[in-house]
């Protein structure tokens, strides 16, 4: 159901956003993933919130995440 997926995505985005706000100014690890493209522990943590939540709610769906690529069931 599309509405269920949208509702889940909104809740998870808010949770990930709250995590990013709380980590602001406290990030210790940043690495380069390209010449000018950086990824921080905050990026990875926020993506994990989204990844775990979406996979847990919709285990039969396929997802593509910026840092971890495509995840299949």
């Amino acid at each position: 159901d599309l509405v269920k997926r949208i509702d889940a995505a909104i809740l998870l985005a808010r949770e990930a956003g709250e995590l990013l706000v709380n980590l602001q100014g406290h990030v210790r690890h940043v690495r380069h993933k390209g010449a000018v493209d950086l990824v921080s522990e905050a990026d990875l943590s926020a993506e994990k919130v989204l990844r775990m939540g979406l996979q847990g709610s919709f285990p039969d769906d396929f997802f593509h995440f910026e840092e971890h690529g495509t995840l299949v069931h």
Side-chain angles (χ1 to χ4, degrees):
D1 178 51
L2 182 58
V3 173
K4 184 177 176 183
R5 283 168 172 72
I6 291 170
D7 289 343
I10 290 169
L11 289 174
L12 291 166
R14 287 183 177 146
E15 184 179 342
E18 186 176 320
L19 173 69
L20 290 172
V21 168
N22 291 334
L23 288 173
Q24 189 173 9
H26 302 287
V27 173
R28 295 183 190 164
H29 303 288
V30 177
R31 65 177 167 85
H32 288 271
K33 64 177 185 177
V36 292
D37 202 2
L38 303 174
V39 61
S40 72
E41 63 187 285
D43 298 320
L44 296 171
S45 295
E47 184 176 282
K48 183 176 181 181
V49 167
L50 298 171
R51 191 176 74 243
M52 300 301 287
L54 289 171
Q55 287 181 304
S57 296
F58 309 104
D60 294 328
D61 290 359
F62 295 85
F63 299 97
H64 183 82
F65 296 96
E66 182 176 3
E67 308 305 338
H68 288 87
T70 301
L71 301 175
V72 297
H73 54 268

